[in-house]
Amino acid sequence: MVVADLNRLEQAARVSMSGFQDADLPRAPRSSHLSLRLGAIALLAAVALTAAWQLF
C-alpha cells in the first residue's frame, strides 16, 4: 500500500461514516468519539508502518 492508497481508504471511511448518524439515535458522549478517532488513527499508523516495513 502506498500513501495515496491510504489517503483514499481514509477518505472512503469518512464518507461512509458521514451518513451513519441517525436522528433517532442518541448522540455518543464526546469521550467515546475521541477514543474512536484515536483508535482509527492508531490503525492507520499501523497500516502505514506495515507498508513502510514492506518497502524496506
Side-chain angles (χ1 to χ4, degrees):
M1 250 186 192
V2 294
V3 175
D5 292 334
L6 291 174
N7 288 339
R8 276 187 249 133
L9 181 64
E10 182 183 6
Q11 184 178 11
R14 286 181 184 170
V15 168
S16 68
M17 291 302 289
S18 66
F20 183 74
Q21 293 179 351
D22 192 1
D24 296 339
L25 296 174
R27 299 211 102 184
R30 187 72 175 160
S31 62
S32 173
H33 182 69
L34 178 62
S35 65
L36 287 176
R37 179 171 288 200
L38 289 175
I41 290 171
L43 180 62
L44 287 174
V47 170
L49 286 173
T50 302
W53 183 265
Q54 294 297 321
L55 290 175
F56 297 111

